[in-house]
Amino acid sequence: MSQPQDDGKVVIELQGIDKRHLAYVWEKMKRGEDLEGQEIFIGRSMADHPQWFPHFETIGLLEGEDELPDGTNPFAHVSLHVLIGSQIFNQNPPEAETFYRMRLRKGDEQHAVIHMMIETFQRHLMWAAQNRGPDGQLSFDMGAYAGTLRKLWHLKTNKLWRRLGHNRPPVPHEGEGA
């Protein structure tokens, strides 16, 4: 997923989750089979989004745009959930697991915590995309991301969401179609 560079930054290789793999995991889940390795993150991420179950049923059957009429891309979103789940599980960065654990202790719901981390990660990713190196390569500063998680984990929920640009804690997927 990431490779250290000499300047202390980390290059993130954002490898999208193949739709065939999503379809495979979805079918295993429907059959009640045990998931292994990364399938666990994928399955958990899919299960957290029941509003998209009908879309998961058609994975790989439809060609073209994955974006729903409301602008949501379920497949990209599930990929971000898997990325954050992997960060927490592998403690890479260590602050990801600490942030997750501390937010749960503060009473935040698991899915909301993942969304806090997704928003934080996306902000750092956008900054990296806008400030590419001279070679044009995207260089993600994992230390800066970890530092932001450290700054946010102690805040009260409302204040944390305000720091992320929300007037109130958002309801994950509110208003998204099924």
Side-chain angles (χ1 to χ4, degrees):
M1 180 180 85
S2 60
Q3 300 172 344
Q5 288 186 309
D6 294 334
D7 61 4
K9 293 186 178 181
V10 175
V11 175
I12 301 290
E13 296 173 6
L14 291 177
Q15 299 171 351
I17 298 171
D18 187 290
K19 285 186 190 179
R20 287 173 291 171
H21 198 146
L22 281 174
Y24 174 74
V25 171
W26 182 249
E27 290 301 318
K28 280 183 80 169
M29 289 171 59
K30 289 190 330 185
R31 291 189 303 264
E33 296 178 21
D34 289 337
L35 303 179
E36 300 173 6
Q38 190 181 34
E39 293 174 353
I40 295 168
F41 300 128
I42 295 169
R44 218 177 266 155
S45 299
M46 293 174 91
D48 281 345
H49 298 90
Q51 73 277 23
W52 295 334
F53 286 2
H55 299 287
F56 298 150
E57 287 291 327
T58 63
I59 295 172
L61 296 178
L62 303 174
E63 293 294 327
E65 185 58 51
D66 295 326
E67 196 169 286
L68 300 176
D70 68 1
T72 305
N73 183 325
F75 308 111
H77 187 80
V78 166
S79 295
L80 284 168
H81 268 263
V82 171
L83 175 75
I84 297 300
S86 179
Q87 288 178 357
I88 294 165
F89 181 79
N90 294 308
Q91 299 180 13
N92 184 22
E95 290 82 358
E97 190 274 334
T98 304
F99 180 93
Y100 182 77
R101 186 174 22 86
M102 291 183 75
R103 295 312 310 177
L104 292 179
R105 277 195 201 139
K106 288 188 171 292
D108 293 322
E109 191 270 327
Q110 291 178 348
H111 198 158
V113 175
I114 298 295
H115 276 252
M116 291 171 182
M117 295 177 73
I118 286 172
E119 287 212 23
T120 303
F121 183 82
Q122 285 179 317
R123 288 169 184 267
H124 282 271
L125 188 60
M126 289 302 297
W127 188 91
Q130 294 168 353
N131 296 281
R132 292 178 184 267
D135 61 356
Q137 187 168 7
L138 182 104
S139 180
F140 185 90
D141 189 339
M142 191 64 84
Y145 168 61
T148 300
L149 292 175
R150 278 193 306 274
K151 289 176 187 170
L152 294 175
W153 68 42
H154 71 282
L155 298 177
K156 291 186 178 187
T157 301
N158 288 336
K159 189 169 186 176
L160 186 151
W161 281 114
R162 280 194 301 275
R163 288 266 178 100
L164 292 174
H166 298 272
N167 292 331
R168 62 180 176 79
V171 176
H173 313 294
E174 184 175 57
E176 292 176 2

